[in-house]
Amino acid sequence: MTNATNSMDNRRAYRRLHYLRAFVISGVVLIIGLLLSTTIGAVEGVDAKVFFLSLFQYDGSVEHLIMRTLRMPRAALGALVGANLAIAGLLMQGISRNPLASPGIFGVNAGASLFVALAFTSIYGAPMVSSITIPFFGPLGIVPVAFLGAAFGGILVYFLGGVASGRVNPVRLVLAGVAVSTLLASLMKGTIILQDENTDSLVYWLAGAVDGSDWNDVRTILPWTMVGLGITAYLAISLNLLALGEDVAVGLGRNIHVIRTIGGLGIICVAGSAVAVAGPITFVGLIVPHICRRLIGVDHRVLLVLAPVLGAAMMVYSDILARFIAFPFESPVGIVTALVGGPYFLYLTQRARIDR
Amino acid sequence: MTATTRTAFDSDTRIQNPWTKLYILLTIAIALTVYSIGAGAIRVPVWETVRTVFGMGTGEFDYIIQQYRMPRIAMAWIVGAGFAVSGTMIQGVIRNPLASPEIIGITAGAGLASAVLLLGMPEVSVQLLPFVSFLGGLIAAALVYVLAFKRGISPTRLALVGIAVSAVFTSGIDYLMTSFPIQLDMALIWLAGSLWARSWEQFIAIAPWIFIMFTGCLMMAHKLDVLALGDEQAIGLGVRVEPTRLLALAMAVALAGASVAVCGTIGFVGLMAPHMARRLVGGQHHILLPTAALVGTLLVLTADTLGRIISPPVEIPAGVITSIVGGPYFIYLLYRHRGW
């Protein structure tokens, strides 16, 4: 008896240590990434010292200015976008119980970008949208439009893929997602071609990019990251139960529809805001939850801490790589995440038992 | 597995005379061609169109019809047929109702290869384009095939691997498009799949290639029929399964690759056309292949014509329109083949 409790305690202590180690390591990796991201760039002489000095003893020199108005918001935005996408992936994989669920594959990104592209056309008028400001949340910008689009794309795939009717063949859902994404992307291309202005910047944005961002973008996305984290925390235990099976979750007193609705709202907030500021960035939301699960297991209470950190780290490092692809010119970060994420997705399809 | 996939190839339409249907399709395609030559920013009356095409017009529209409209319509014919026949071959060989040049990565590979050639070495002759594009498609298809192979090819695994490989190749195209911003407007149209500004030069570069491949496919029709019965029956009937399958796939790659090389990815044609053709005339390849080719032509022609007449002078790329139709059709297919 005592032996058993002892070993239980031991195991729990060991697991806690394991979690702690994972948190610390990923945190350190992220911080190093942020430092690198703010010190690597086309302008020389903006180094780690400038990073700290500009934080605490801002003197208005060119280096400090670059650091505070270009490098820092960019790194912060990359990190937040990565965190958002990772949360979105975690929530999606949790509520759909589908290992391949992610905002990129399930039409959420495509829907959001279609609506954003529509918002930039003359029908809606970009200046009008970006001039709306609400207190605390900062400039409203295109975020609500992106939310609508994210909801539109996600719901389309959700119902067409047959989740609602109880069939849960993951691959069907993926195929439906790809088809809907292609459809929405085509509509978006049509929109862009028809409107004929801003095409260059829109094409760049469509590949997914965080460069050229400012603190406004950070302020735009930050509250939604918080909302997403809060929702994930609220749902964590429910998601753990849902992972055991829908019947189990129902048997233990959970309302699946409520879980899915709240989770869906969370996904729309995090994925929509990420697309609004950085364009559709693929594969981060798909692979980060998988990496996290490999590192620390399946408990969503722990995953919800690790996933945003690793997602942020992945985006920050991808953004650094993106600078080197065509140095000193910038390339969209979405290209790097696709290059990294595609093979990982392949690896997942090789490993997982998704093809029965 | 076989029991469920085979449903895709049973046609329950009672075929009276498939050849009649083929001729009806041909008539529609020709009528649409005549209309399409006349349609666009500058409208040409139908009779004037016909006379100008045969060189007996007033001369007023000679230039616009012979140098602008006719090459792109001709291109629509061969490109539509190329995608459709490619899709038919792939679906026949892999016996997967959802397989298509896009899904198994051919178009992304061919697209990347031709984008590299067009942007990196613009001085190279356009004659080289089909070969390079074929090579790119071949690499992508081989990659998908090898990665998806695990005690045979399962349709779901193939689709997933294809999506992943396509994503990687597409990010390569994205990179090229954002790094060479001079021709961005054109690149966007080309990426979305368009027949805009196609010339006789490109038609001549591609047409023989497609004709030869199409003839080759027709010559394989009988073997493809046997292959559709299943590997064991095919072996029993004296068909060497693996070589046949590889040859058929290579032809599919060549057809799709050549089509992508000149007009980008006109989405979903390679997926839709074979299914439509199969419903029309059944699964025998000697009639299925030409029917699919005609259906593909009709799809591309319609999309191109619509794209020109919706809001002239701006053109909506044909690929955008086929995707808008093809996305829902794909989902409909998912429902129809929900066995797996």
Side-chain angles (χ1 to χ4, degrees), chain A residues 124-164:
Chain A
Y124 202 58
M128 192 190 88
V129 200
S130 49
S131 63
I132 305 170
T133 311
I134 45 173
F136 178 69
F137 281 89
L140 195 61
I142 45 177
V143 173
V145 185
F147 283 178
L148 276 181
F152 178 71
I155 288 169
L156 214 58
V157 174
Y158 189 79
F159 283 104
L160 291 174
V163 182

Side-chain angles (χ1 to χ4, degrees), chain A residues 13 23 57 148 235 254-255 318:
Chain A
F23 292 155
Q57 298 178 338
L148 276 181
L235 287 180
R254 302 283 158 164
N255 186 336
S318 301

Side-chain angles (χ1 to χ4, degrees), chain A residues 237-248:
Chain A
I237 294 175
S238 303
L239 289 176
N240 284 347
L241 295 178
L242 196 57
L244 300 173
E246 287 178 21
D247 297 344
V248 178

Side-chain angles (χ1 to χ4, degrees), chain A residues 172 179 186 325 345 350 355, chain B residues 147 150 157 175 323 330 334:
Chain A
R172 281 178 55 87
S186 297
I325 290 183
F345 178 73
Q350 301 284 326
D355 65 331
Chain B
L147 288 170
K150 195 176 183 180
R157 177 182 294 281
Y175 166 66
S323 298
F330 184 81
L334 274 178

